[in-house]
Amino acid sequence: MDSVFLATAFATLFVVIDPIGLTPLFVALTQGMEARARRAIGFRACLVAFGILALFGLFGEAVLGFVGIRMPAFRIAGGVLLFLTALDMLFERRTKRREDSAEERSDPSIFPLGMPLIAGPGAIATMILLVGESGGGWQGILTVHAVMIFVVLLAFLLFLIAGPLERALGRTGTVVITRLLGMLLAALSVQFVIDGIRGTGLIG
């Protein structure tokens, strides 16, 4: 496989998934949890993301076509779900839920971490695009998936340092960052919706 394509695939997936940017968000979503619980959540989130991205990498547009869904619809849906998460972070609804018992505690591993934060519409679209650009042969498909696995693994390794990062920030720092990330997530979710609407051709 061409080394240029390999570098392009890595750079594209790394930027789209953004493991570095996900780390403080992981801290905010798992605030106050024990290291063991955080590792489990991080592992499940990465496993879910891998499964989703592998599915769309292998079957791509055939999956969307089978259920009659176009990529713009994915972007709009992801944006709406992400906006709901942003509201939770801005108004401390998530913090209040964490004060409940462990059995009732919200588990962010599947949503929003696994999807749409790691395996979001952008990452799904990128997998489909990269597999198409690889030529569609098994070597290209395996290369794209190997790069995706490496990027998701980087995200998991960064999740493992969430505890020390939270201790360094302290309670006040974590609250401030949680609110700031909530604002950024709200803006990102709106951008997802705008991109989705633009993809339908309703706006230029």
Side-chain angles (χ1 to χ4, degrees), residues 5 9 16 34 39 42 50 77 81 98-99 106 110 140 149 155 177 197:
F5 174 77
V16 172
E34 297 180 353
R39 284 195 299 270
F50 162 74
L81 293 174
R98 288 200 181 100
E99 294 174 354
S106 177
I110 297 176
I149 291 171
I177 289 182
I197 295 175

Side-chain angles (χ1 to χ4, degrees), residues 18-161:
D18 190 16
I20 297 176
L22 284 175
T23 303
L25 183 56
F26 179 79
V27 171
L29 291 171
T30 60
Q31 180 181 349
M33 293 185 181
E34 297 180 353
R36 188 176 182 180
R38 274 182 162 164
R39 284 195 299 270
I41 288 174
F43 179 77
R44 284 197 300 271
C46 291
L47 191 62
V48 167
F50 162 74
I52 293 171
L53 294 178
L55 175 67
F56 282 93
L58 290 172
F59 301 104
E61 295 182 1
V63 175
L64 298 181
F66 178 76
V67 294
I69 297 175
R70 295 174 56 210
M71 189 55 64
F74 254 90
R75 289 190 176 275
I76 294 173
V80 172
L81 293 174
L82 207 58
F83 187 76
L84 294 176
T85 300
L87 290 179
D88 279 351
M89 296 174 68
L90 285 170
F91 296 103
E92 292 189 318
R93 296 172 187 168
R94 188 174 304 273
T95 301
K96 292 177 182 177
R97 285 200 297 268
R98 288 200 181 100
E99 294 174 354
D100 297 334
S101 63
E103 290 77 15
E104 298 173 345
R105 181 172 292 175
S106 177
D107 182 356
S109 58
I110 297 176
F111 172 81
L113 282 172
M115 183 177 184
L117 292 180
I118 302 177
I124 291 173
T126 299
M127 285 295 294
I128 297 174
L129 178 63
L130 288 175
V131 169
E133 290 182 351
S134 71
W138 280 109
Q139 182 181 1
I141 293 174
L142 290 175
T143 298
V144 172
H145 281 75
V147 172
M148 178 269 290
I149 291 171
F150 181 68
V151 175
V152 172
L153 180 61
L154 284 179
F156 176 66
L157 293 176
L158 288 173
F159 288 167
L160 294 180
I161 68 170

